[in-house]
Amino acid sequence: MSGQEGPFKIVILGEGRVGKTSLLRQFVSRTFSDQEASTQSAAYLDKILLLRGTQVQLSLWDTAGQERFHSLAPIYYRNADGALLVYDITDLESFRRVAKWVEELQVMGTTCVLAIVGNKSDLQSQAKVPKADAETYARSINARHSTASAKLGFGVDEAFGALAEDVLASRARAPGQTQTSSRRTRGALVVAEDDAAQPSRQKSGCCGGG
Amino acid sequence: MANEGSRPEAGDPAQESEQVLLTGPRRQRLRERLSALSMWLTVKTEPPKSGGPADTEVGSPASMHPESPPASPASHPSDPEALWQDLWESISTSGFREGERSAMSSACELWRRPTASKSIWSRLAKSGPSEAQHRDWERVSKAVRAGVPPALRCAVWSTCSGAIGKKSQVAAELGQTPDSLYPSFTAQGLLLQNEASGVIDVDVPRTGCAEALLEPLRRVLLAFAVKNPQIGYCQSMNFIVATLLEFCDEESTFWILCSLVEDMLPENYYTRNMVGVRVDMLVLTSLVKLHLPMLHAHLVEHDIDLSPFTMGWFLCLYVNTLPNPSLHRVLDCLLHEGSKVLFRTALAILQLLESCLLGVHSVAKAYEILRSPTCPEDDLLCAMHGLWLRGFSTESVCELRRQHLKEVLEQDAVVEARRAELRARRESRESECPGSVAAVDSDESLTPMRNLESFLKVADRDPSDAETE
């Protein structure tokens, strides 16, 4: 495959003020503001990424972090190809919320590639979330884990880039219609339950697998 | 008000009556506002660039066809400034009869929380307002649709939204003086230590309002969280309150917010499961199908879902969506006519964007257009009240809300059942092999949630363990 891929829908989930919007801004427009406005329900951004000579178009959905917005979230992660789960390395509670999001995606029968990002790596000295534990958890749900600093711009492109690559890889493996058998491939992964038929695997159509 | 059907208007003069019956300081304040208005009128000697769509029902049927723009606002016969002057003069000199007040108040209540059944309305219509009151109501509506002068917004918003009535009603219920309420809610709010106060503290500095408004914003939100513990605080209220504070003092803002959330919007807009706003998204889809069938068909064909955008429009009452003059005029209408204005606005925006949207075939392109809809202020107001929305009424919205509420509750029940099922399965697995923490690298046994409990335990570890990079 060469040329163009996408658009792939990526949704950013995580507790309030962990830096979801800041990560996106840094990724999309290389800017950062200490005074980033809180996100009202959701915001939409897009970005074209060059991955190994292929232009990959990403449609990025930033979401509000407050817990009650969980009930609205399906509108945003419906048919998502990837989800970036963000926590703040200085905030243990925000890390717990990642697990709640994973559970939520599972309950809704969403299948998409997952990546976990610990933001605010510039505040390493105040870190409260043990990195090894975060990595262990990420492996257990077959997600990538990395840290980033939206403020300094470290690890941001890497996080989105890796997620985009995983999305591409999962697409290559299961072009168009995803089959049950493709669910277990490593690095591209699945929030679906491992038994029980998944009737909601309707990812076809929207992006057309290239 | 041909658009709205006649019954809903029946109750509305009560809102004015509440104002007219004010005594003492309030009355004084109203007079001050009136003189502000006359000053505003004197200063502004130039006629307005456009008259505003005060008479859209008769004056400018917005076209059903996206190609032809709505009729020019210049064709409107009524001058908003003259309307306002006339209106306020008459309210300050005449007034409504005392005896009609309470019946009208309850009628208003029913009208604002649009769950009134037809029978209630026909009963009210029979014993309803006099012809004169009805005419007054129509004049208020026309004036509000033409745009409220900025200096009067606080007074008009407080009156029309029912905020003034609410304040005295709550005072009567609690056996306190009306003016002691807000200070008391604020005092309790400042002591609040819960989810609401936590999120408020995080959100206030990043609402993007003027430095001087930060503390008032925080106090209003905290006071609201005290008064409405079941709602607390919901992200997006910060933007609404910041906008109200641009025109209103802190206390009026608080009562307007209470009226809005408690009475004007459907229940559960901002509560935990946010059922109200989810229902409204489905209602909007039905209305788009009805009033903009071509656009609806196009969106369905290309699998373009509007709700990711419209959700934000509704929750924030178009704050951060519409540019300023348009936003304030939408709020004028919303605070007077109630939540149906949210739909009128959405439909008007979509109608104005229809030709653009029909030209795009990808989700991404459609989203580019919807991200920041640009609609000239007068075109928007015209489209909102144009003849093309003739069939649109409070009743049709109520009926659609009833239908879709059922749908949403059924979906929730399915999701809840699935959640319970997954939880049970996880627990039974754990009891089968106690202590087994996920085989991390074994693909086949991978179950995300199996690890959750142990993960949480791990995460609880002493923070001093935090690894340094």
Side-chain angles (χ1 to χ4, degrees):
Chain A
M1 282 196 237
S2 65
Q4 286 197 320
E5 290 273 358
F8 295 126
K9 181 175 173 183
I10 308 288
V11 60
I12 325 291
L13 303 168
E15 201 183 33
R17 217 179 51 169
V18 295
K20 299 180 291 296
T21 306
S22 294
L23 281 170
L24 262 178
R25 283 236 189 289
Q26 184 60 259
F27 175 56
V28 172
S29 56
R30 304 262 167 268
T31 53
F32 176 82
S33 163
D34 271 321
Q35 305 284 314
E36 192 61 69
S38 58
T39 304
Q40 39 138 358
S41 84
Y44 172 78
L45 291 162
D46 50 35
K47 168 97 175 176
I48 291 175
L49 205 61
L50 201 61
L51 275 184
R52 298 205 195 96
T54 304
Q55 284 198 332
V56 182
Q57 197 187 347
L58 301 180
S59 296
L60 303 153
W61 275 103
D62 186 14
T63 59
Q66 197 180 9
E67 192 162 359
R68 67 188 67 182
F69 281 83
H70 275 216
S71 58
L72 304 186
I75 286 178
Y76 301 100
Y77 60 65
R78 188 178 78 97
N79 295 336
D81 299 288
L84 195 71
L85 303 159
V86 185
Y87 68 93
D88 171 352
I89 64 164
T90 69
D91 179 356
L92 207 50
E93 187 54 37
S94 74
F95 184 45
R96 291 200 183 97
R97 284 287 292 282
V98 167
K100 283 192 192 162
W101 275 114
V102 172
E103 184 180 39
E104 208 52 37
L105 290 166
Q106 184 185 28
V107 165
M108 299 304 289
T110 309
T111 59
C112 65
V113 179
L114 296 181
I116 298 178
V117 174
N119 189 29
K120 310 196 185 177
S121 64
D122 48 293
L123 301 175
Q124 190 59 53
S125 59
Q126 299 162 41
K128 299 232 169 37
V129 180
K131 194 177 177 193
D133 294 344
E135 282 172 348
T136 305
Y137 175 66
R139 271 199 303 277
S140 78
I141 59 164
N142 225 5
R144 277 181 195 266
H145 175 271
S146 63
T147 56
S149 165
K151 187 172 187 172
L152 304 177
F154 294 158
V156 178
D157 286 2
E158 290 80 352
F160 283 97
L163 180 59
E165 287 212 30
D166 287 350
V167 169
L168 266 181
S170 77
R171 280 316 178 96
R173 246 176 251 121
Q177 189 63 50
T178 318
Q179 293 298 318
T180 316
S181 59
S182 72
R183 284 189 299 141
R184 293 286 159 216
T185 17
R186 269 171 66 80
L189 163 255
V190 232
V191 193
E193 259 288 319
D194 47 358
D195 45 17
Q198 286 291 311
S200 54
R201 202 167 308 286
Q202 78 292 56
K203 294 231 295 195
S204 62
C206 69
C207 309
Chain B
M1 302 319 92
N3 299 344
E4 308 298 337
S6 58
R7 270 168 301 172
E9 273 72 26
D12 300 317
Q15 290 175 318
E16 293 162 64
S17 80
E18 282 166 5
Q19 170 131 25
V20 168
L21 293 165
L22 296 170
T23 51
R26 282 284 181 187
R27 183 90 185 186
Q28 180 57 36
R29 198 159 131 207
L30 178 59
R31 291 202 182 284
E32 281 163 18
R33 297 280 175 190
L34 269 167
S35 56
L37 171 63
S38 23
M39 274 181 64
W40 183 77
L41 288 174
T42 332
V43 172
K44 213 173 168 210
T45 46
E46 290 266 310
K49 266 181 278 169
S50 58
D55 264 338
T56 13
E57 303 87 359
V58 284
S60 74
S63 168
M64 290 285 282
H65 307 289
E67 300 82 38
S68 48
S72 157
S75 67
H76 291 305
S78 33
D79 169 5
E81 296 175 4
L83 265 171
W84 275 104
Q85 191 173 31
D86 185 30
L87 174 74
W88 285 86
E89 266 169 17
S90 104
I91 289 178
S92 57
T93 52
S94 57
F96 296 105
R97 278 159 298 214
E98 181 70 52
E100 284 158 347
R101 194 181 176 208
S102 60
M104 285 301 101
S105 284
S106 44
C108 261
E109 205 51 36
L110 289 168
W111 171 72
R112 280 201 300 274
R113 190 184 282 290
T115 45
S117 72
K118 289 192 171 190
S119 66
I120 294 175
W121 277 115
S122 47
R123 211 167 58 230
L124 281 169
K126 274 179 209 142
S127 61
S130 72
E131 195 60 24
Q133 284 173 322
H134 194 79
R135 274 203 311 277
D136 279 330
W137 166 250
E138 290 204 341
R139 274 192 311 149
V140 177
S141 294
K142 275 185 190 172
V144 166
R145 287 179 181 191
V148 180
L152 286 172
R153 281 215 162 97
C154 180
V156 175
W157 286 358
S158 297
T159 311
C160 292
S161 66
I164 291 176
K166 182 158 215 70
K167 182 175 163 182
S168 23
Q169 182 203 327
V170 173
E173 280 166 15
L174 299 179
Q176 292 177 29
T177 56
D179 288 334
S180 69
L181 291 172
Y182 180 67
S184 141
F185 286 131
T186 312
Q188 295 171 63
L190 292 170
L191 300 173
L192 218 53
Q193 296 254 328
N194 57 14
E195 194 250 8
S197 66
V199 186
I200 289 171
D201 283 342
V202 167
D203 273 5
V204 165
R206 53 186 199 145
T207 301
C209 61
E211 189 79 27
L213 292 182
L214 291 179
E215 271 310 297
L217 171 63
R218 178 159 172 265
R219 284 193 296 264
V220 170
L221 292 172
L222 287 170
F224 181 87
V226 168
K227 182 167 185 304
N228 291 281
Q230 72 292 1
I231 299 173
Y233 166 74
C234 179
Q235 286 186 321
S236 71
M237 283 182 183
N238 53 332
F239 296 109
I240 296 168
V241 171
T243 305
L244 296 176
L245 282 170
E246 286 173 32
F247 297 97
C248 306
D249 60 272
E250 207 178 309
E251 184 175 352
S252 305
T253 299
F254 169 77
W255 290 108
I256 294 171
L257 179 69
C258 291
S259 268
L260 247 176
V261 177
E262 295 168 19
D263 304 333
M264 301 184 88
L265 297 171
E267 280 177 286
N268 293 318
Y269 240 57
Y270 299 104
T271 43
R272 263 189 185 278
N273 52 16
M274 301 178 90
V275 165
V277 72
R278 285 155 62 206
V279 168
D280 273 6
M281 290 305 99
L282 299 176
V283 172
L284 180 62
T285 306
S286 298
L287 290 170
V288 170
K289 189 175 178 185
L290 184 68
H291 295 286
L292 297 164
M294 243 189 343
L295 179 64
H296 179 79
H298 179 79
L299 295 174
V300 169
E301 185 187 343
H302 297 284
D303 197 20
I304 299 169
D305 181 11
L306 294 177
S307 29
F309 288 95
T310 51
M311 183 72 81
W313 296 0
F314 275 54
L315 272 179
C316 266
L317 316 181
Y318 297 93
V319 177
N320 297 350
T321 296
L322 292 173
N324 262 345
S326 311
L327 169 67
H328 298 146
R329 293 194 48 193
V330 166
L331 289 177
D332 289 342
C333 298
L334 175 71
L335 288 166
H336 177 54
E337 299 178 55
S339 64
K340 66 181 171 189
V341 172
L342 293 172
F343 295 103
R344 275 189 184 282
T345 311
L347 290 168
I349 293 174
L350 293 173
Q351 194 223 25
L352 294 170
L353 296 178
E354 187 176 23
S355 49
C356 289
L357 286 169
L358 288 175
V360 302
H361 302 94
S362 79
V363 177
K365 286 270 182 299
Y367 285 4
E368 264 169 48
I369 296 171
L370 290 164
R371 182 162 44 187
S372 46
T374 46
C375 318
E377 176 188 350
D378 288 310
D379 291 357
L380 180 70
L381 272 285
C382 265
M384 279 169 70
H385 303 113
L387 271 186
W388 70 291
L389 287 175
R390 196 175 358 210
F392 178 86
S393 68
T394 303
E395 279 150 28
S396 60
V397 169
C398 289
E399 181 50 38
L400 286 169
R401 276 181 175 150
R402 259 193 296 277
Q403 288 169 16
H404 290 302
L405 174 62
K406 202 164 158 254
E407 210 176 312
V408 166
L409 293 178
E410 280 166 8
Q411 282 168 7
D412 279 6
V414 170
V415 169
E416 204 38 62
R418 178 152 170 78
R419 188 173 285 137
E421 182 198 329
L422 286 176
R423 206 167 285 153
R425 204 181 299 171
R426 190 168 76 232
E427 275 159 17
S428 78
R429 271 202 208 101
E430 271 159 16
S431 62
E432 272 166 31
C433 36
S436 104
V437 175
V440 164
D441 270 329
S442 152
D443 281 350
E444 285 312 307
S445 65
L446 208 54
T447 314
M449 298 328 294
R450 169 104 60 91
N451 270 355
L452 184 61
E453 295 310 318
S454 59
F455 155 69
L456 289 176
K457 275 178 215 142
V458 172
D460 263 335
R461 231 158 60 177
D462 185 351
S464 62
D465 291 357
E467 181 177 315
T468 47
E469 204 152 306

